[in-house]
Amino acid sequence: MKLVQTINALRAELEPLRKGGKTIGLVPTMGALHAGHASLVKRAVAENDVVVVSDFVNPTQFNDKNDLLKYPRTLDADCKLLEACGAAYVFAPSVEEIYPEPDTRTFSYPPLDTVMEGKYRPGHFNGVCQIVSKLFLIVEPTRAYFGEKDFQQLAIVREMVRKYPFDLQIVGCPIVREDDGLALSSRNARLDSVQRRQAVQISKALFTSVDYGKTHVLSETKRFVEDSIGRAEGLRLEYFEIVDGNTLQPVHAWDESDYIVGCITVFCGDVRLIDNIKYKYKE
């Protein structure tokens, strides 16, 4: 595995592989890698000849500068994990390498990016699209892999690929959870032992609501989750929305869509955690 830190060096590595007909998988990450990332990389390795993993904390997607400063950075540990997973290249550029000048491009995909995270983190998805589009242009991957934990992000990246002339496949991968149900996240590293025990109430509420929803109307199920988080010590609900899995717009009855997802964001102390659960889904 090679650690590459400049765009030109990465392109020089990949160009002969691409010309030789090799398929290239890309896994965009912000580092602080865990087993959830490892699952993406392993799938990419299984489905492509060569895999590139980006390890870059992208400043343009943080609307809270404090959050950017606190975001964990663990490149050495990340490289060990990625090598064990079979990645060929780790792309870990500096901010100056990616943004030699400010990126003034604007990406707008309403209504996908105006609800939930888009409402509470203005500018976040524009920053996501800025960095992901840059990575697509640099790597020119055959396939790119994203986790379903960032459900809204995945929907917006898919839309960006549809609107922009990118010739690649977007692959969504299932949420990976701890044994007790907590969705894996780089932000979990910021939880102390007490908060870690409190945080599991998020996934517990979601899992319980799936069965609850089988015998209750949608509005009651939404209130059940909101009340569950409201009663949980140490947690503060930012939002919980039950939406159409394709449009991300709120649904108000179980028969409104064949694809219904509950998306939640909760603060545990000052750590912002997201999760989601499928209520209805057809392959």
Side-chain angles (χ1 to χ4, degrees), residues 34-225:
H34 50 65
H37 296 107
S39 71
L40 300 181
V41 177
K42 288 174 182 175
R43 180 163 175 182
V45 168
E47 296 178 354
N48 300 275
D49 297 314
V50 179
V51 170
V52 179
V53 180
S54 64
D55 193 311
F56 176 69
V57 181
N58 175 42
T60 71
Q61 68 192 68
F62 285 83
N63 56 321
D64 181 345
K65 298 306 176 188
N66 251 347
D67 199 17
L68 172 61
L69 290 173
K70 291 177 180 177
Y71 199 87
R73 291 160 172 84
T74 57
L75 181 58
D76 289 345
D78 294 347
C79 286
K80 289 176 183 174
L81 180 149
L82 293 172
E83 188 159 31
C85 291
Y89 299 99
V90 179
F91 180 46
S94 65
V95 173
E96 294 73 23
E97 179 70 14
I98 294 295
Y99 300 111
E101 54 191 37
D103 190 339
T104 58
R105 294 175 301 156
T106 299
F107 298 82
S108 180
Y109 303 111
L112 295 177
D113 59 356
T114 58
V115 296
M116 297 188 294
E117 294 296 283
K119 175 182 176 182
Y120 287 92
R121 300 182 69 189
H124 169 69
F125 288 122
N126 193 66
V128 169
C129 290
Q130 285 177 343
I131 185 59
V132 171
S133 63
K134 278 180 177 283
L135 291 170
F136 289 172
L137 292 167
I138 293 165
V139 177
E140 297 180 52
T142 313
R143 302 176 187 88
Y145 296 77
F146 295 84
E148 290 183 350
K149 184 176 75 69
D150 295 292
F151 188 80
Q152 188 173 7
Q153 173 180 278
L154 176 57
I156 289 167
V157 169
R158 288 191 195 279
E159 186 66 10
M160 180 181 72
V161 169
R162 278 193 288 269
K163 295 284 179 67
Y164 206 102
F166 288 121
D167 183 21
L168 76 155
Q169 177 188 355
I170 300 298
V171 182
C173 301
I175 297 173
V176 178
R177 298 182 180 276
E178 300 278 10
D179 290 342
D180 61 4
L182 181 67
L184 290 182
S185 169
S186 299
R187 297 173 190 271
N188 293 354
R190 292 176 50 200
L191 300 172
D192 63 30
S193 58
V194 173
Q195 292 172 327
R196 174 62 185 79
R197 290 194 296 273
Q198 293 169 338
V200 76
Q201 296 302 317
I202 302 169
S203 56
K204 184 177 179 181
L206 293 179
F207 294 148
T208 306
S209 75
V210 173
D211 284 333
Y212 185 92
K214 292 174 182 175
T215 55
H216 293 77
V217 299
L218 189 146
S219 60
E220 291 172 335
T221 305
K222 185 173 186 290
R223 190 161 53 249
F224 171 83
V225 172

